[in-house]
Amino acid sequence: MHKCIKMVVFTVLVVLSLQQIAFANEETKRPPKPTEGIESSDPNHGSSTDSDNESVQRASGLFYNYYCSIDNTGSDLYLEGSTVANYLSDQVKLTLYLQIWDGSQWIDVQSWPFTQYNSKSVTEGANTSFQHGNYYRTRAVHYIKYGTQTETQNSTSSYIYVD
């Protein structure tokens, strides 16, 4: 009987130690951080307003302001952007791009174009799925047409890691 109890205790200890090893192997190691762009201070939200040179973009000419952002909602990624003109314009455009870091550069994965006519602004968003274990950010192209004048600006959000 005493030998049987020792065997059961030994077996339980072996099983428990193997489970700890199995759980340790399941932990995902975060890939190296991107060498381009700015890391967001908020793990679930990145914005073009995070950097000093792109904070709530304000430009002279046709643009009043512009920005883009990315949010991890837990179930998907939500990208948002805005293009705001100084004047009621013939065309105001916003194109959002989801970018993923491939280990050496940012790659456009998907895009969403939005256009408003006879307007001062366009503010839109899009939901998309993600793969765990990657860095993501939003890139946006902002465009305004006012009579014969056209102007384009670009913005890029800070990046987030999706665990």
Side-chain angles (χ1 to χ4, degrees), residues 98-163:
L98 174 65
Q99 292 191 311
I100 188 170
W101 180 252
D102 75 352
S104 62
Q105 64 183 341
W106 289 102
I107 304 294
D108 290 342
V109 176
Q110 200 171 357
S111 66
W112 296 266
F114 304 100
T115 304
Q116 291 289 326
Y117 297 94
N118 299 315
S119 179
K120 280 188 79 169
S121 67
V122 57
T123 300
E124 292 287 348
N127 289 299
T128 189
S129 59
F130 60 82
Q131 295 176 353
H132 294 276
N134 289 299
Y135 291 97
Y136 291 97
R137 72 179 186 181
T138 302
R139 177 174 77 86
V141 177
H142 311 270
Y143 171 87
I144 298 172
K145 181 177 188 284
Y146 177 74
T148 59
Q149 298 177 12
T150 62
E151 211 173 300
T152 303
Q153 297 287 348
N154 298 291
S155 64
T156 306
S157 74
S158 51
Y159 62 83
I160 60 172
Y161 178 74
V162 180
D163 212 358

Side-chain angles (χ1 to χ4, degrees), residues 33-48:
K33 291 181 180 179
T35 55
E36 299 172 17
I38 297 170
E39 182 177 17
S40 177
S41 58
D42 181 337
N44 294 314
H45 173 79
S47 175
S48 61

Side-chain angles (χ1 to χ4, degrees), residues 7-28:
M7 184 58 98
V8 169
V9 169
F10 177 75
T11 304
V12 168
L13 290 174
V14 168
V15 168
L16 288 175
S17 67
L18 290 177
Q19 283 181 339
Q20 289 175 344
I21 292 170
F23 287 131
N25 288 340
E26 287 179 14
E27 290 179 18
T28 57

